[in-house]
Amino acid sequence: MQAELIATVPCQCTLGEGILWDARLGAFLWTDIHACALHTYHLESGEHTVLPLPRRLASFALTPDSDTLLAAFDDRIATLHRVSGTVADLIVPPLLSGVRFNDGRTDPEGRFWVGTMVEDAAAAGAENRGELFSLDPSGALSVHRGGIAISNGIAFSPDGTRMYFADSPTRRVIHRPTSAHYGAGQADTSFLTTDPGAFPDGAVTSADGRYWSANWGAGLIRVTHADGTDAGRLPVPASQPSCCAFGGRDLSILAVTSAREDLTPAALAAEPDAGNVFLYQTDAAGLPSVPYAGPLN
């Protein structure tokens, strides 16, 4: 694995997350969840814009309309106009108090998978009251799995047959066949376990099937072959990398978000790039972002 840091976007996000590449715009898009903001960075020009939002945006997907995103806000799924900031609710599910949406990604069929996480265990009643959902092209929202503390690491194999998923505090990434009936009679298959103090966060797969996982707390992207063997580790100049995505004309640039959340003043002084986005030229190639294939109203 080869990767060279070629640029840093000085956005200093509190909790940068959910980064995607939109080839139509030639731009990376990501959210700063706690700052209620959508960031757009045009790769060739270096133009960086920040759109204030009315609520926390956890994750999102592209849609066939380049101006509209499918957005998982903290407690609802909606459409988001990426220029005006207009939000139109699609589904407001009955989430438990203390639980919010978190990591999300579309599968190769255009289904949007998104999980929830527990922010307040006392309000939720337990530390593992999160769930994993899919929003199908029919527009139906289904629950596939419960017992989750922090849903993360959602990604899919290049051929679309395998889904990856992590419950961050367990430090374990699992995989199983991609299916609209995820969890129905299927046992988890362990894919990898991260090192102590390294928690699997947002992830992406490359065209050769490698799984690239942001390891929160460890300051690195862990890369793993499809057979579960180690493919290398990419150091990141921030201890809390949170998500990654491939972009650029040939999808060889890896963009990594990070966070400043919960870092002490001493830690922030030691890692001044915390919260920024890092761009690496790699010898890998990513996969195009799949737009959500369902209705937007």
Side-chain angles (χ1 to χ4, degrees):
M1 180 192 70
Q2 297 179 4
E4 177 187 0
L5 181 64
I6 58 173
T8 298
V9 184
C11 49
Q12 293 200 318
C13 292
T14 303
L15 181 54
E17 269 286 7
I19 193 163
L20 289 179
W21 169 255
D22 190 333
R24 299 165 299 187
L25 304 176
F28 286 104
L29 290 78
W30 67 93
T31 175
D32 185 347
I33 296 178
H34 295 324
C36 300
L38 176 70
H39 291 251
T40 302
Y41 178 78
H42 294 270
L43 189 59
E44 290 195 3
S45 68
E47 179 187 8
H48 174 212
T49 60
V50 182
L51 176 69
L53 300 174
R55 56 194 321 117
R56 294 184 296 169
L57 175 63
S59 56
F60 56 91
L62 306 182
T63 74
D65 178 359
S66 63
D67 286 337
T68 302
L69 301 174
L70 178 73
F73 287 97
D74 46 5
D75 67 349
R76 67 196 60 203
I77 296 176
T79 59
L80 168 63
H81 193 280
R82 64 168 190 84
V83 179
S84 68
T86 301
V87 174
D89 291 347
L90 292 177
I91 301 174
V92 183
L95 299 183
L96 293 172
S97 179
V99 173
R100 69 162 173 86
F101 279 116
N102 197 45
D103 185 55
R105 190 177 294 276
T106 47
D107 67 21
E109 296 180 12
R111 183 185 297 114
F112 182 58
W113 293 84
V114 61
T116 54
M117 63 170 283
V118 177
E119 287 189 302
D120 185 336
E127 294 181 351
N128 63 342
R129 300 299 298 275
E131 297 173 299
L132 179 65
F133 298 80
S134 70
L135 185 62
D136 297 338
S138 68
L141 184 68
S142 303
V143 180
H144 298 276
R145 178 188 176 94
I148 298 166
I150 303 176
S151 177
N152 256 318
I154 298 172
F156 301 89
S157 62
D159 64 4
T161 62
R162 178 186 293 188
M163 178 181 186
Y164 298 92
F165 173 78
D167 185 356
S168 294
T170 69
R171 303 185 4 251
R172 181 168 170 253
V173 179
I174 62 97
H175 65 84
R176 60 176 61 196
T178 303
S179 170
H181 303 290
Y182 178 98
Q186 299 177 7
D188 291 347
T189 301
S190 182
F191 177 63
L192 68 89
T193 300
T194 57
D195 298 332
F199 301 96
D201 207 316
V204 69
T205 49
S206 49
D208 59 8
R210 287 180 289 176
Y211 180 78
W212 302 63
S213 171
N215 277 204
W216 179 282
L220 59 85
I221 303 297
R222 180 166 175 172
V223 189
T224 309
H225 291 294
D227 63 3
T229 58
D230 185 64
R233 303 184 183 204
L234 171 61
V236 175
S239 62
Q240 298 179 156
S242 52
C243 195
C244 51
F246 284 99
R249 291 184 178 182
D250 58 0
L251 298 175
S252 65
I253 295 176
L254 183 74
V256 180
T257 54
S258 65
R260 298 167 63 84
E261 180 183 30
D262 295 333
L263 293 179
T264 65
L268 289 171
E271 49 180 291
D273 279 324
N276 292 339
V277 169
F278 311 105
L279 304 181
Y280 294 87
Q281 181 62 60
T282 75
D283 61 352
L287 298 163
S289 300
V290 179
Y292 171 61
L296 299 177
N297 51 42

